[in-house]
Amino acid sequence: MSGIQPQHRDRAPGSSDRWILLAAGCLALAPFVAYHRLFGRLYWFGDEFDLIDQIDRIGFWRWIWLVFAENFVPVFKLLWGGGVLAFGGSYLAMVATVWLTHALNVALLGRVMRTCGLSWVAVICAQVAFGLSPANIETLAWTVQWSAVLSVTFMLLAFDGFFRAPSGPASFAWSAASALSFSRGVLAGPLLALGSLWPGRGQPEARPAQRAMRAAGYLLPAAAVAILIAVLATGNHHHMKGHWGEAAVFGTWYYCLNPAYHLLSVESWGWRTVVLLGLCKFALAGWALARSQGRQRLLFVLVVAFDLGNAALLGIGRYHTGLLATVSSRYQYASLIGIAPLAGFWISRQWDRIPVPAVLRGLAASALLAAGAVHLCRQWGGDLEPFTQSRGTESRRILLLEPNPDPQSVPGIPGLPVERARALIAKYGLH
């Protein structure tokens, strides 16, 4: 692996790049392949039963267009509900689909970074951290979270289209699909609107009117979805009076602590930890923005803005869950997207300064990245074991084996009667 390329060499990935990016995406599947037996223990849980219950009561096509908690997500519902029916109720097949989508995201992240001229050291560092981190365990082992994964897929596809062909229609469609897959997917539109107005992208500048039209094309679908959520969906956004301070604190803790809190196995807790990790994160973002230019700088602007926007929306939606929830594994996916490209860029620049021949630097980088990948992959086993006990073994015992369960004890959603859950299991072959 060579050092970072000259800043002005924004480029489209070539054929050799595509094979490397594909290999990196396949590598992201390593934890799922290595621990497939543990993943096979998982079972339908919580909101999944609620969604299947709704499909059964009101019909698939009507269900798609109904809000789900604080989400209006017809794209996610079409794919998720279709998967339930197409896979005959197989939970392992559903989890495998989430992992395949994640592998695509890892490849797409690398593609966008290469399009913006980042070196292979930077790209592979970002892909390894994002692709293999066990901090993503709940996102990648609970199929309801496919919503968040899909929204990132569509956002990265929109980024890819935007950087390669700013006037092309594909990026507008992908941006809208992100908003229709997950509530915080509404960020994709404003981000690309910002990108449309950003000066100095290393491409011929369009006229101001054209740039404004592009920005509006990204903003309008996101705004429409946001309005639907604000009007129709349930959630904290309906009663924020007197809670803005709590939301701000929650968002601040989330932004500052993640993803370093899990990646570095931090054990301390409190404002000192928040301030220390937050300062490091701000320093990294500031350094990357100051040392980059052209497409690279714009990419960093977009991912930093995504991370901040996600923190703000999460603060509004989840402030009531307590500050310990800020480091929940279900919220790490977006944070990793927001920081991995910056960290990869910093590492690549420091690595390039080592005074040894480029060939030796490349070999050493390959060895260290391989060791890091193995280390992250091996961590999945220890984290999965207790997770599958609560999300699989216990669920199966209560719903499939327990002769006299508590009538309201469906794991993760106690308001649904056990008999109703068992009826759904039999009807849809949930296994």
Side-chain angles (χ1 to χ4, degrees):
M1 295 183 184
S2 62
I4 190 164
Q5 300 172 0
Q7 295 289 321
H8 63 276
R9 293 185 61 186
D10 298 338
R11 58 192 291 279
S15 58
S16 61
D17 284 17
R18 286 193 285 270
W19 286 107
I20 298 173
L21 295 172
L22 176 62
C26 293
L27 175 65
L29 296 172
F32 180 76
V33 173
Y35 301 106
H36 65 277
R37 288 188 175 84
L38 284 175
F39 280 104
R41 294 180 186 175
L42 295 169
Y43 195 63
W44 304 91
F45 178 86
D47 289 341
E48 293 160 335
F49 276 109
D50 183 38
L51 292 175
I52 297 171
D53 178 55
Q54 292 178 39
I55 293 173
D56 190 65
R57 287 188 292 104
I58 64 178
F60 185 84
W61 295 109
R62 182 185 171 198
W63 166 77
I64 284 175
W65 299 104
L66 296 181
V67 295
F68 168 45
E70 69 272 25
N71 303 274
F72 176 70
V73 286
V75 171
F76 162 69
K77 282 188 166 185
L78 176 64
L79 296 174
W80 187 89
V84 173
L85 301 177
F87 296 136
S90 170
Y91 199 73
L92 183 60
M94 292 287 288
V95 173
T97 303
V98 176
W99 273 88
L100 288 170
T101 310
H102 171 60
L104 174 61
N105 288 350
V106 172
L108 285 171
L109 177 63
R111 178 179 170 85
V112 171
M113 292 177 68
R114 287 296 286 169
T115 297
C116 293
L118 287 154
S119 74
W120 277 116
V121 170
V123 170
I124 301 300
C125 281
Q127 289 181 307
V128 167
F130 172 59
L132 296 175
S133 173
N136 286 326
I137 185 169
E138 187 169 18
T139 300
L140 299 178
W142 188 29
T143 69
V144 169
Q145 292 298 311
W146 192 24
S147 178
V149 178
L150 279 171
S151 74
V152 168
T153 304
F154 294 129
M155 184 182 76
L156 290 173
L157 285 168
F159 281 9
D160 183 57
F162 172 80
F163 281 113
R164 290 188 297 115
S167 300
S171 55
F172 295 95
W174 294 129
S175 173
S178 181
L180 293 170
S181 297
F182 186 52
S183 59
R184 293 189 288 282
V186 298
L187 292 169
L191 291 175
L192 289 171
L194 171 63
S196 298
L197 301 173
W198 191 264
R201 297 198 306 268
Q203 298 172 334
E205 287 297 324
R207 292 192 299 271
Q210 291 177 313
R211 295 167 65 189
M213 287 296 292
R214 288 177 192 166
Y218 288 119
L219 278 175
L220 290 176
V225 174
I227 290 171
L228 283 171
I229 291 173
V231 173
L232 301 176
T234 60
N236 289 342
H237 58 279
H238 286 299
H239 44 83
M240 287 301 297
K241 185 177 181 180
H243 297 290
W244 288 106
E246 296 170 75
V249 170
F250 190 98
T252 300
W253 280 56
Y254 168 79
Y255 179 80
C256 293
L257 290 173
N258 297 307
Y261 193 86
H262 282 284
L263 289 177
L264 302 179
S265 300
V266 177
E267 296 182 356
S268 61
W269 184 257
W271 272 108
R272 290 183 181 179
T273 303
V274 172
V275 170
L276 177 60
L277 294 181
L279 287 174
C280 291
K281 190 170 185 177
F282 279 114
L284 174 60
W287 182 91
L289 292 172
R291 297 300 179 93
S292 58
Q293 62 185 38
R295 291 184 183 182
Q296 291 181 4
R297 178 175 289 173
L298 178 54
L299 174 61
F300 296 154
V301 166
L302 295 183
V303 297
V304 169
F306 172 69
D307 200 4
L308 288 167
N310 186 71
L313 293 180
L314 194 65
I316 294 171
R318 293 291 180 267
Y319 70 82
H320 63 287
T321 59
L323 291 178
L324 282 174
T326 57
V327 293
S328 169
S329 64
R330 74 173 66 177
Y331 304 139
Q332 300 303 308
Y333 206 76
S335 184
L336 282 163
I337 282 284
I339 203 66
L342 310 178
F345 178 59
W346 181 83
I347 291 170
S348 71
R349 291 294 295 270
Q350 307 315 308
W351 195 258
D352 198 48
R353 297 172 63 181
I354 298 176
V356 299
V359 172
L360 291 180
R361 283 203 310 271
L363 291 173
S366 299
L368 287 174
L369 287 169
V374 170
H375 173 70
L376 289 173
C377 189
R378 292 184 64 180
Q379 286 185 326
W380 277 85
D383 292 346
L384 265 176
E385 183 68 38
F387 188 85
T388 60
Q389 286 293 323
S390 61
R391 295 296 184 93
T393 304
E394 185 64 10
S395 296
R396 290 176 184 273
R397 184 190 68 79
I398 292 172
L399 296 171
L400 302 179
L401 302 175
E402 180 64 45
N404 298 300
D406 182 332
Q408 302 294 328
S409 66
V410 175
I413 185 164
L416 186 70
V418 170
E419 289 306 312
R420 175 57 177 163
R422 287 179 170 177
L424 294 171
I425 290 169
K427 183 172 183 178
Y428 293 94
L430 304 180
H431 62 284

